[in-house]
Amino acid sequence: MMDDKITDDNSYVRYEDFGAAGDGRTDDFHAIQKAHAYANERCLTVKANPAKTYYIGFSPEPAVIMTDTDWGGARFIVDDTCVPAEQRGVDVFEVKSRMTPFEMEAPAGIRKGQRRIYMGAEAGGGDGSDNGERGNTAKLKQNALVIATNSGKKQFMRKGLNVNSGFDQIDCFILDESGNILTPVIWDFDNVTSLTAYPIDERALLLTGGEFTTVSTKYSQDKGYNYFSRGISFSRSNVIVTGLVHHVAGELEDTGSPYAGFVRTRACAYIQFRDCHFFGHKFYSTIGAAGLPVSMGTYDINLQTSIGVAFYNCRQDNIMDASRWGVIGSNGCKDLLLDGCVFSRVDAHMNVANLTVRNTTLGVQGFNAIGHGLLTVENVTIMGPSVVSLRGDYGSSWDGDLYIKNVTWYPAERVSGNPAVITANNSGDHDFGYPCSFPRKVVIEGLRVMDGQYSGLRVGTQSGVQSGTHGEAQSGQHECVSIFGGIDESNTGLKSFGAPAEGDFPHIFSELLVAEGLSTETGKGFRLWSGDVDRCYSAKPYAVGAASDVSNTGKASSSVTAGTADAGGLWPNFRARLTDIDRFVYDMSASEIAFNGEHASKLAGEHSLAPDIRVSECPRVAIRAGNRTARLMISDCALEDGADMGGKECEVVCERVKGVLL
């Protein structure tokens, strides 16, 4: 018994009660482990001495935290130079629930958007009836985060230098004790091989303060990855972390090992980080799965199959240092929030459902995402290559809507071409395990692009800044700013007007763009697409049946009848509503006509397959109508000198045109 070592009021325990020296040299980890074990047994708070520095060496087991912990102003040295490479995955602290996860009886299937799984006496015996809702006989005692897995289906089959064969289909959602699904299911599961419930703690656990310095490992390798996980892992739901600080010391200049995150969440819900300080690690090169050199990404925050994780007023130093990786990455999470943060990068890696970034500054590594639901970027300043980059290695897909509101963007250098607000890269020749698409609806309100400072800063390189710096005006490098980038024929494989080649996996384009209050520092304005070929409608194979005669060039012969178009799955035309944009450039003058003559007019007129673009209240509009099929309506605008209103297939309607600018 250690009761004689506890403070007089027996309300909390101290590390010193179990032998910690706190001198920064003596290994205190064993004492720290014992203190938490004692506190866990008696539901006591743990307090560190704010005047002490605790040295943490290696142990094959973490210190398990189940009670409130007040680290205050205490400092911790986490020495990874003494950690064997084979033990690199052992965390220092594990924030753990007293309740253990358990397997539920899996229904035959689960459907996207499903709202309920029948429980207890209501269960139907697991036969998959009612669209897979029935079949579970284990009634929950409280809300739980549930992870569904189908080991017979692979998704996220990555493309590129880190190519892989994919991962089991997986989804997480909150299930209440009555079987109601409280967060959306995003995949159709034809089979469920496991259904694991992680009960959600009702009481919040508090972690306060603590200044941690990781002394980086010196272990490195020339090929493959060995991620180190020497931090704080969270497998308990309902935790509030306040005032945590993390630093890294002793990183190597040219070689080293990546870190999987100093704070890591998995299979938990409702974690808050408030007023915390994180660290941007250096990244190194290795030989990837494709046998070529690739950068090793290393995050300070790693979120896995977690729901409702939020960051309030958290920050990171050196957000413009291109030699350092982004601070936050996630896989398979839902309902993530960043509010009032300063980070170099946010990366929703293998899928996120519902992500909000507001009142935040993002640095040179930018904002990368793929996923589902609502993606909101509001009151944000960003210095990355785009406002939102849809990750090409996972198909550049967002199954939902995108809202960009009151954003100021300082573009970093892209490889070539116009800076683009939303970028993607999907060649249509790779199966990622799911359909890929742009956001169905894109709303952009109040975007200010500081393109006068469009710099030579190139991101994602170990050497960092290759040429130029932010703040160094280099006007003249670009014609204008594109709203959608990376969809021209050269890097997507899509054919004229969105028709993919036979056997491709199409990348479906957006249905609606609503843009209002867009401006550029240079006054060069905006165009819709970065590529030479403006897209008419979404990429999908054309009509079905014998009447179809569509070549891989995207041209349609007269045998594609109106009836065939109705039956064959041509996607609705793209619609754009553009208001109060400082300058709008629209060029449909390409020499190749996607649909020949009379047939194009028939499709455009009778089936509304042409783009429907309406521009209003813009002080400068530059038009080259040309021969591509389109509808363009202009009202309360001023046309620039030399506007070309011709074009056999482009219908241009001008109302209340204010005049021609010289």
Side-chain angles (χ1 to χ4, degrees), residues 202-329:
E202 294 183 0
R203 177 191 173 277
L205 186 148
L206 307 179
L207 297 183
T208 306
E211 182 175 345
F212 294 81
T213 298
T214 296
V215 181
S216 185
T217 178
K218 303 303 186 259
Y219 178 82
S220 64
Q221 62 184 114
D222 296 330
K223 185 176 182 179
Y225 299 91
N226 273 321
Y227 280 94
F228 277 68
S229 300
R230 286 272 295 164
I232 307 170
S233 66
F234 296 79
S235 57
R236 181 200 196 272
S237 295
N238 200 2
V239 181
I240 301 174
V241 183
T242 305
L244 177 76
V245 177
H246 182 230
H247 306 289
V248 176
E251 288 184 293
L252 301 176
E253 286 299 320
D254 299 318
T255 60
S257 292
Y259 277 76
F262 182 74
V263 296
R264 298 185 301 121
T265 70
R266 185 187 180 280
C268 55
Y270 314 131
I271 312 294
Q272 296 182 29
F273 295 91
R274 294 181 173 272
D275 303 309
C276 296
H277 188 285
F278 299 100
F279 193 87
H281 295 253
K282 288 181 179 294
F283 61 89
Y284 308 103
S285 293
T286 188
I287 301 300
L292 297 172
V294 64
S295 298
M296 288 189 283
T298 181
Y299 298 99
D300 221 31
I301 302 166
N302 191 321
L303 313 176
Q304 305 282 334
T305 53
S306 303
I307 298 177
V309 182
F311 297 85
Y312 298 97
N313 302 315
C314 296
R315 65 179 297 111
Q316 164 201 357
D317 291 333
N318 303 317
I319 67 169
M320 297 305 295
D321 185 348
S323 70
R324 296 187 177 274
W325 203 253
V327 73
I328 179 172

Side-chain angles (χ1 to χ4, degrees), residues 124-170:
D127 61 357
S129 58
D130 296 316
N131 292 323
E133 294 180 352
R134 295 188 181 274
N136 205 288
T137 57
K139 189 172 179 64
L140 296 175
K141 296 180 181 180
Q142 70 282 312
N143 290 5
L145 183 145
V146 175
I147 297 180
T149 303
N150 179 7
S151 60
K153 180 178 176 59
K154 299 298 181 183
Q155 293 182 315
F156 302 101
M157 293 176 282
R158 195 173 189 178
K159 181 181 180 180
L161 297 178
N162 285 316
V163 61
N164 62 43
S165 57
F167 299 88
D168 291 348
Q169 184 183 35
I170 193 170

Side-chain angles (χ1 to χ4, degrees), residues 428 493-495 498-507 538-542 551-552:
L494 300 180
K495 307 306 176 183
E502 183 178 355
D504 282 349
F505 301 90
H507 190 219
S538 301
K540 187 177 181 180
Y542 281 80
S551 73
N552 287 343

Side-chain angles (χ1 to χ4, degrees), residues 1-8 10 12-20 30-31 33-39 41-42 44:
M1 295 292 293
M2 302 292 296
D3 291 323
D4 57 334
K5 293 184 177 292
I6 307 305
T7 53
D8 293 338
N10 291 327
Y12 63 88
V13 298
R14 300 168 301 193
Y15 295 142
E16 286 74 15
D17 296 331
F18 296 85
H30 187 53
Q33 289 173 309
K34 290 194 294 184
H36 281 286
Y38 184 91
E41 291 177 1
R42 294 159 177 80
L44 299 174

